[in-house]
């Protein structure tokens, strides 16, 4: 009976690691210690002028920008992002956000007024059940103790996938995709805009530009992973 209950409970609280499917022990949350240690961090939190920030030079004035992890095909980050985006595992986004939020705080980066996740188009959010970037933002918000607002900005265009587009095609695809609908929420604030994977940065740039044009004081970016 006890065992049956335990099996039943584990349906709701999976006790296996989302990285390697191994069992979790007490105190481990979503990821086992081995996977935690092996997460391929970019190390950009220590580098002021890192490659993510450099991508935006001449495009958009930003204060700071980071990617937490490196995305490689067939690697653990691809696996975790697949769980987050296509396998109904929002918890992994929150877990990664908590981890990176703690690293940000430990490095003295907690000067933001508000965290805003890159909005997902309403129809796509409905299909997935949640916005994966918002889950990452929730974890960041918990560790940094900074409020989160997921409603101030919306995505108007349900753009096609960016995967097979070059940089200028990606920009045309997203240039007018975002709209700030609550200016008063962002006015005169330093906003940390949050996304899942960054490739050319076109999507963050388009959304960031809207926030800037709508009166935000300063802008920083954080994403889960940097695609090579
Ligand atoms: Zn593991």
């Amino acid at each position: 009976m006890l065992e049956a209950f335990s099996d039943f409970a584990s349906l709701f609280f999976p006790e296996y690691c989302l990285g390697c499917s191994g069992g979790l022990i007490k105190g481990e949350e979503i990821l086992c210690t081995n996977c935690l240690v092996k997460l391929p961090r970019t190390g950009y939190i220590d580098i002021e002028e890192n490659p993510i920030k450099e991508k935006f030079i001449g495009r958009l004035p930003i204060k700071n920008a980071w990617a937490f992890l490196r995305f490689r095909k067939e690697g653990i980050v691809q696996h975790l992002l697949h769980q987050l985006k296509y396998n109904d595992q929002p918890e992994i986004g929150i877990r990664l956000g908590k981890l990176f939020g703690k690293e940000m705080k430990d490095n003295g980066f907690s000067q933001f007024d508000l965290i805003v996740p890159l909005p997902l188009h309403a129809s796509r959010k409905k299909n997935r059940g949640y916005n994966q970037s918002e889950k990452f933002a929730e974890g960041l918000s918990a560790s940094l103790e900074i409020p989160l607002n997921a409603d101030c900005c919306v995505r108007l265009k349900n753009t096609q996938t960016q995967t097979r587009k070059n940089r200028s095609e990606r920009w045309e695809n997203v240039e007018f995709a975002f709209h700030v609908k609550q200016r008063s929420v962002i006015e005169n604030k330093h906003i940390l805009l949050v996304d899942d994977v960054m490739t050319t940065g076109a999507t963050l740039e388009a959304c960031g530009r809207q926030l800037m044009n709508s009166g935000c004081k300063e802008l920083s970016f954080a994403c889960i992973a940097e695609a090579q």
Side-chain angles (χ1 to χ4, degrees):
M1 182 61 206
L2 204 61
E3 200 177 302
F5 177 76
S6 164
D7 287 345
F8 182 71
S10 67
L11 287 175
F12 300 97
F13 305 101
E15 287 162 1
Y16 59 90
C17 169
L18 285 182
C20 66
S21 305
L24 290 179
I25 58 169
K26 203 165 185 270
E28 291 178 337
E29 191 191 328
I30 313 293
L31 291 168
C32 73
T33 307
N34 194 32
C35 284
L36 262 188
V37 171
K38 282 196 311 195
L39 282 179
R41 290 167 166 80
T42 61
Y44 292 162
I45 196 74
D46 291 329
I47 312 167
E48 172 91 20
E49 301 301 322
N50 67 62
I52 294 285
K53 190 178 171 189
E54 282 175 353
K55 267 187 207 254
F56 294 97
I57 292 173
R59 294 164 70 184
L60 197 66
I62 50 168
K63 177 85 174 157
N64 288 109
W66 305 278
F68 178 33
L69 304 171
R70 281 181 215 281
F71 181 96
R72 282 199 201 92
K73 259 198 149 57
E74 316 296 331
I76 185 173
V77 178
Q78 183 183 37
H79 176 72
L80 294 176
L81 284 163
H82 186 87
Q83 301 288 312
L84 173 63
K85 289 175 77 169
Y86 307 111
N87 212 15
D88 196 25
Q89 299 283 6
E91 293 298 325
I92 187 63
I94 299 172
R95 184 76 176 103
L96 293 174
K98 281 184 184 169
L99 284 170
F100 191 51
K102 186 177 181 311
E103 288 189 14
M104 288 170 77
K105 200 168 189 174
D106 290 347
N107 282 275
F109 295 108
S110 53
Q111 74 278 38
F112 319 100
D113 300 308
L114 188 68
I115 302 175
V116 174
L118 197 100
L120 207 59
H121 188 268
S123 67
R124 200 170 286 187
K125 185 170 176 178
K126 198 177 168 200
N127 286 343
R128 187 170 294 150
Y130 55 89
N131 171 357
Q132 71 279 6
S133 298
E134 188 177 336
K135 294 297 152 185
F136 184 57
E138 277 177 38
L140 290 172
S141 173
S143 282
L144 290 166
E145 298 175 87
I146 292 168
L148 157 75
N149 186 302
D151 303 314
C152 59
C153 184
V154 290
R155 188 164 188 148
L156 303 171
K157 268 169 70 180
N158 194 5
T159 48
Q160 305 155 272
T161 175
Q162 300 268 66
T163 321
R164 282 185 207 87
K165 293 185 172 1
N166 66 32
R167 190 172 148 180
S168 69
E169 287 169 340
R170 282 172 191 240
W171 176 247
E172 285 165 19
N173 200 24
V174 294
E175 190 179 358
F176 303 110
F178 300 97
H179 170 68
V180 175
K181 60 171 194 175
Q182 298 168 355
R183 285 179 82 107
S184 60
V185 171
I186 65 156
E187 261 168 342
N188 294 317
K189 292 197 172 127
H190 181 178
I191 296 199
L192 179 67
L193 183 62
V194 172
D195 197 6
D196 53 359
V197 182
M198 187 167 123
T199 310
T200 64
T203 320
L204 276 172
E205 183 183 350
C207 188
R209 202 177 286 261
Q210 286 304 314
L211 294 171
M212 284 289 205
N213 290 343
S214 304
C216 94
K217 183 180 69 184
E218 246 176 341
L219 193 60
S220 292
F221 294 150
C223 48
I224 300 176
E226 166 192 33
Q228 299 296 309

